[in-house]
Amino acid sequence: MSGAGHPEHRANPGMNAPPAGARTSRFWSVLGILLIFAGWELAARMMGPMLMATPLEALRSITLLADDPGFWTDSIDSLTRIAIGVGTGCAIGFTLGVLAGHDARLRGLLEPLRWLLMAIPPVVVVVLAMLWFGLGSGMVIFITILMMAPGMYVNTVKGMRMIDANLLEMGQVYRFSAWTRLRHIYLPALAAPLTAALLIAACGGVRLVVMAEVLGAESGVGYALANARSTFDSGRLYAWVLLILGLVALLEFLLLQPIQRRLTRWQEPSHA
């Protein structure tokens, strides 16, 4: 009997094509971006060049910024603060989350601190940090660490408490080392919540660093934004805004989302 009568042997011409839903989503995303720029153009024409530059003027100002030596200094300072602040904050939150996921006493001990850090407005933390550290990188990095750690901690604790107890028992029976348990039991189970938390932390960390620099730094992107605002240079101001959005887009779409898809690939249903 010919194999053509069996459905499982029939070729599916659309097997490798992207789902229709994905194509539709991309279409509406592009349309949304175009609407944002159209609204920006309309608002700029209504408000005037002193208050808001047009998208084209902002793009032209980016080329002028690139020729300014201070542009690279400010950019490097901000990127360094973002890397140190977000990286350290996420590492602290992850470590405490793993420990608290194992020990209910430690979890209860850290709960008031977690609530305090997540409830206090970031602007209050900025003001206090300026009093304690003065202006500069120390203040910005301290604020970023303090604001990033709680989110990573909460997601790690939730992921730890959702790990299958049978897997943990297996690790004890076979006497897995701490590193083996972390690599083969905890990290696979925590991949989804942690990558989502890292995505939020990285994008939020950029906004937090820029805000802290606007309020109390002597260099960085936020400092350059404040200078452009004080001189009513709307072209330079919105050029920096576009560059910040570009950085967040690079972090999310070219770095963090591919990492998230790779780490959570095993959770996808088989297409065999």
Side-chain angles (χ1 to χ4, degrees):
M1 182 181 294
S2 173
H6 296 279
E8 61 271 18
H9 294 296
R10 294 174 183 171
N12 184 0
M15 182 177 296
N16 296 323
R23 294 195 298 269
T24 302
S25 177
R26 285 196 291 268
F27 168 77
W28 286 105
S29 296
V30 171
L31 181 59
I33 293 173
L34 294 176
L35 288 175
I36 290 174
F37 275 94
W40 178 4
E41 178 72 26
L42 180 61
R45 291 180 181 274
M46 293 175 61
M47 300 177 68
M50 181 172 290
L51 297 180
M52 181 178 288
T54 64
L56 184 58
E57 290 170 347
L59 290 173
R60 288 172 178 168
S61 295
I62 291 178
T63 61
L64 298 177
L65 282 177
D67 295 331
D68 185 355
F71 166 78
W72 299 105
T73 301
D74 290 329
S75 300
I76 292 172
D77 286 347
S78 291
L79 290 174
T80 302
R81 292 162 182 161
I82 292 168
I84 296 175
V86 173
T88 305
C90 290
I92 292 174
F94 173 74
T95 303
L96 291 178
V98 171
L99 296 175
H102 272 297
D103 192 337
R105 294 171 298 181
L106 178 60
R107 190 162 61 248
L109 184 66
L110 292 175
E111 184 61 19
L113 179 60
R114 191 277 312 165
W115 179 88
L116 176 65
L117 293 179
M118 297 189 77
I120 189 169
V123 174
V124 175
V125 179
V126 170
V127 173
L128 293 176
M130 289 172 63
L131 292 174
W132 297 339
F133 296 96
L135 304 180
S137 293
M139 179 269 291
V140 176
I141 292 172
F142 172 78
I143 295 168
T144 308
I145 293 173
L146 212 59
M147 294 290 98
M148 293 297 103
M152 182 61 69
Y153 168 81
V154 168
N155 281 275
T156 304
V157 170
K158 288 183 177 180
M160 290 288 293
R161 301 185 70 182
M162 293 175 62
I163 295 177
D164 189 347
N166 293 327
L167 292 177
L168 298 176
E169 184 178 353
M170 180 191 68
Q172 293 177 350
V173 169
Y174 287 97
R175 297 181 180 180
F176 286 173
S177 66
W179 169 249
T180 302
R181 289 198 301 270
L182 178 66
R183 182 180 178 185
H184 295 287
I185 296 178
Y186 296 132
L187 287 182
L190 294 173
L194 285 187
T195 50
L198 185 60
L199 181 63
I200 296 172
C203 298
V206 173
R207 296 194 300 267
L208 192 61
V209 166
V210 172
M211 182 193 71
E213 290 175 343
V214 168
L215 295 175
E218 296 176 336
S219 65
V221 173
Y223 175 76
L225 272 172
N227 283 341
R229 178 196 60 189
S230 64
T231 58
F232 294 97
D233 189 346
S234 62
R236 184 178 290 261
L237 175 65
Y238 285 92
W240 278 114
V241 171
L242 284 180
L243 290 172
I244 294 168
L245 294 176
L247 172 61
V248 173
L250 288 175
L251 287 174
E252 179 173 351
F253 298 113
L254 297 184
L255 178 63
L256 297 175
Q257 284 193 7
I259 292 175
Q260 184 179 34
R261 287 193 294 268
R262 181 176 180 84
L263 291 178
T264 59
R265 186 182 302 167
W266 65 276
Q267 296 177 339
E268 298 177 359
S270 174
H271 297 284

